[in-house]
Amino acid sequence: MKKILLTINCVMIMMTAPAKDNPFSKPFATPYETAPFHLIRTEHYEPAFDKAIEEHQSEIDAIVANSQDPTFINTIEAMEYSGEMLSRVSSVFFNLLSAESNDEMMEISQRLSPKLSEHSNNINLNEVLFERVKAVYDARHTSGLTPEQIRLTEKYYENFENSGATLSPQGKEKYRALSMELSKATLEFGQNNLRETNAFEMLLTDKDDLVGLPESLTDAAAGKAKSKGKEGWLIDFSAPSYIGFMKYSSLRDLREQLYKAYSTKGVAGGEFYNQENVRKIVNLRLEIACLLGYSSYSEYVLKTRMAKNEAAVFGLLDRLAEAFGPTARQELGDVQLFASQTEGELFDLQPWDWSYYADKLKDNRFDLNDEMTRPYFELENVKKGVFGLATDLYGLQFVKNADIQVYHPEVEAYEVSDENGDFLAVLYTDFHPRDGKRSGAWMTSFKEQYMRDGKDSRPHVSIVMNFTRPTETKPALLTFDEVKTFLHEFGHALHGMLAKSTYETLSGTSVYRDFVELPSHIMENWLVQKEYLDKFAFHYQTGEKMPEELLQKIVDASNYNTGYATLRQLSFGYLDMAWHSLEVPFEGDVRAFEQDAMARVQLLPVVPETSMSTSFSHIFSGGYAAGYYSYKWSEVMDADAFSVFKKNGIFDKETAHSFRINVLEKGNTEDPMILFIRFRGQEPSVDALLRRSGVDN
């Protein structure tokens, strides 16, 4: 049973195309067995899922019917190797559902959801199958298994246990119903958010409405309007457009209009309404947790995380809130004072004012803004810099391969080779926003790494972002934050590409949720190192290196408003934990609950009609439920880990090799704290993060 079935609840309807013509019906006959996107049509998905589920169920039935005593090979490994076709079609469909979706695919996903849930439940609630798994699990330490085989057995046992296998017959039926309903609600939440995000447009037709906007943003807005057959300048919810407008527009009324539109997604009634989905999701999760014997969903989830329990999570959030709080309040006061001085009167700073005045103060204090650095962050140069960091640290090489099919003309495919010149992975890059792509940035895989029959089957990894587009007159010039995001997602990609596990379920990013952000967070550190910036930050027109003075300004400003940024992240962590540490069903007002949950770290005035929860895809449709704290948890580890690089040299090969072996390659085969200690020599300390951020402990 491939790991995709452990995490995705979804299945099938009648065939619409001959099976022999369906590209999913057999292994892909392409370079490195990459997905043949040019052959895949929307009508292929449902019959492929139908056939794949049938095949997978037959394989599971054969395991159940095996008359031999259960062993690791005939039970656990047999399940691990089952469902190959289902993995093929699932990885393509669900990745494109996020990166290249349309209404038809969303409708298909809604039809698939209950059937895939049923298929998953048919496996996880099969009593005979669980008895076989339990027999292997009970004998795991006395049957000569390798540590990796022991860990895989534990993963399968935990999955069955967490999926209701130990329940009574009545409990199992209840679990079936709840899990199917939850799958449907989370899918609907995510699709509502995507559709409302894509539907919004703020069309500006008066040039006076562009006051304060830099040329890069107005050119992009004009190009976006033109592409949709409209006159003027189009602002939408894509990250470059929304963030840029909030940061630069001098027109407060338009900033307020845009902020409220963005912050009320899913709040009002209508086709994108998500308040009821929030209530439904948290209550279904709570009911499932209680059914399995836990008092809250977070208790159910955290037992298989580094944190282990709610006390550890709240302990971290509280300590960071206490440490960063004074700094954040000082930063808020500084921006408030600057806004008042700028406007010549006592200014009532609102959420739609923060980015604008904070950026102006940064420019005033450090003589630094995005428009000064953009010319040195041309996308092609940034790619060389990001890929080059992997070359410097790990000896990797990246060569574009036009023979590898891609799912959109803007996507590029790279052959990645290791330090010996051997093939390591395929890397897809997808940089710019478009209709059908959800917001944000993420790393995913079309195929995971594993070893079988002596062959190391290498992964196909994808990084998807929503960066500034090129215009008619300029190439794609990125902001500093966009370059940081690139490095972050590339860290996840390295985790996937450098994986070296025997089993797919234990490979790459299949680690504890509060460990998975370490490889991504640590990559961000290089961006404020002058020695690194000097390798790729060249002016896109003149080719000149970024001036030493500008490099130093970036370093000097690296901790600007770090307190505010930390408390904002903590507010999301507190909100997530508030929803998932509930011990009684929630029937109240979503916005009131949210405001109470975030009150401790709330800095700016609350706008009553807005809501974070109704568009908080990370926790309601993205796998981070009771796990958003992991960003700060991992940041503590990354600060401590990067201190080793700082001590030994940021390009030190020996340090990089140790990090690669102990963190990137091991997958989920060992306890992550043991892996970290093996690299660092000690457990992570919050003090390292405080020191890096310039915050007194």
Side-chain angles (χ1 to χ4, degrees), residues 53-156:
I53 288 169
E54 180 184 337
E55 284 187 3
H56 191 212
Q57 189 60 59
S58 295
E59 293 167 338
I60 296 298
D61 291 343
I63 297 170
V64 172
N66 192 332
S67 59
Q68 297 179 343
D69 290 340
T71 65
F72 176 83
I73 300 298
N74 69 23
T75 301
I76 304 299
E77 196 171 75
M79 293 175 66
E80 177 73 5
Y81 292 153
S82 68
E84 288 187 1
M85 183 178 177
L86 190 53
S87 288
R88 280 199 300 275
V89 63
S90 294
S91 65
V92 173
F93 179 79
F94 287 106
N95 280 327
L96 297 195
L97 193 63
S98 292
E100 187 62 17
S101 190
N102 53 49
D103 288 341
E104 189 175 359
M105 288 186 69
M106 290 185 189
E107 290 167 4
I108 290 172
S109 70
Q110 290 173 342
R111 295 195 294 269
L112 292 175
S113 176
K115 295 185 177 182
L116 282 173
S117 290
E118 181 181 15
H119 177 58
S120 180
N121 285 330
N122 286 342
I123 295 171
N124 293 323
L125 299 177
N126 185 305
E127 293 182 8
V128 177
L129 183 60
F130 178 59
E131 287 176 5
R132 294 185 67 88
V133 171
K134 187 175 186 303
V136 180
Y137 173 81
D138 289 342
R140 67 193 185 281
H141 293 303
T142 59
S143 50
L145 300 184
T146 67
E148 193 171 6
Q149 290 171 334
I150 291 173
R151 185 68 193 113
L152 184 65
T153 300
E154 291 171 344
K155 287 274 283 187
Y156 272 91

Side-chain angles (χ1 to χ4, degrees), residues 403-528:
D403 292 331
I404 297 175
Q405 292 295 319
V406 293
Y407 57 85
H408 188 277
E410 292 180 340
V411 177
E412 295 179 333
Y414 292 84
E415 257 184 66
V416 186
S417 57
D418 65 14
E419 62 273 32
N420 299 316
D422 296 327
F423 173 70
L424 183 73
V426 171
L427 175 67
Y428 299 95
T429 59
D430 184 355
F431 289 112
H432 303 298
R434 57 180 177 269
D435 290 344
K437 181 195 282 191
R438 66 177 171 88
S439 59
W442 63 95
M443 168 268 182
T444 187
S445 296
F446 285 95
K447 176 188 168 297
E448 302 284 2
Q449 178 271 338
Y450 62 89
M451 297 182 187
R452 187 174 182 183
D453 299 328
K455 178 186 176 183
D456 187 357
S457 184
R458 300 308 304 170
H460 307 158
V461 172
S462 177
I463 49 176
V464 188
M465 286 147 293
N466 283 276
F467 290 165
T468 300
R469 281 188 167 279
T471 66
E472 292 181 353
T473 59
K474 291 185 177 69
L477 303 176
L478 306 189
T479 66
F480 179 84
D481 284 342
E482 286 176 329
V483 182
K484 182 188 291 186
T485 297
F486 191 170
L487 280 166
H488 181 100
E489 300 307 331
F490 188 69
H492 284 309
L494 286 174
H495 201 179
M497 292 189 295
L498 290 170
K500 201 172 184 179
S501 298
T502 303
Y503 300 106
E504 182 178 342
T505 294
L506 304 179
S507 183
T509 57
S510 300
V511 297
Y512 287 173
R513 179 67 69 182
D514 42 13
F515 189 69
V516 76
E517 296 296 336
L518 168 58
S520 54
H521 268 308
I522 198 170
M523 294 294 286
E524 299 177 20
N525 288 278
W526 272 268
L527 193 52
V528 290

Side-chain angles (χ1 to χ4, degrees), residues 3 8 24 40 60 112 114 142 153 164 181 191 208 226 255 318 329 339 409 467 473 597 604 658:
K3 69 179 175 182
I8 293 177
F24 293 110
I40 297 171
I60 296 298
L112 292 175
T142 59
T153 300
E181 193 174 354
Q191 292 188 353
D208 291 342
K226 183 178 179 181
R255 294 201 311 268
D318 290 346
R329 286 184 282 275
F467 290 165
T473 59
L604 293 168
S658 178

Side-chain angles (χ1 to χ4, degrees), residues 210-213 245 248-253 255 356-357 360:
L210 307 178
V211 177
L213 301 184
F245 193 89
Y248 292 115
S249 175
S250 301
L251 301 180
R252 194 184 191 204
D253 59 332
R255 294 201 311 268
Y356 179 76
Y357 288 104
K360 293 288 183 290

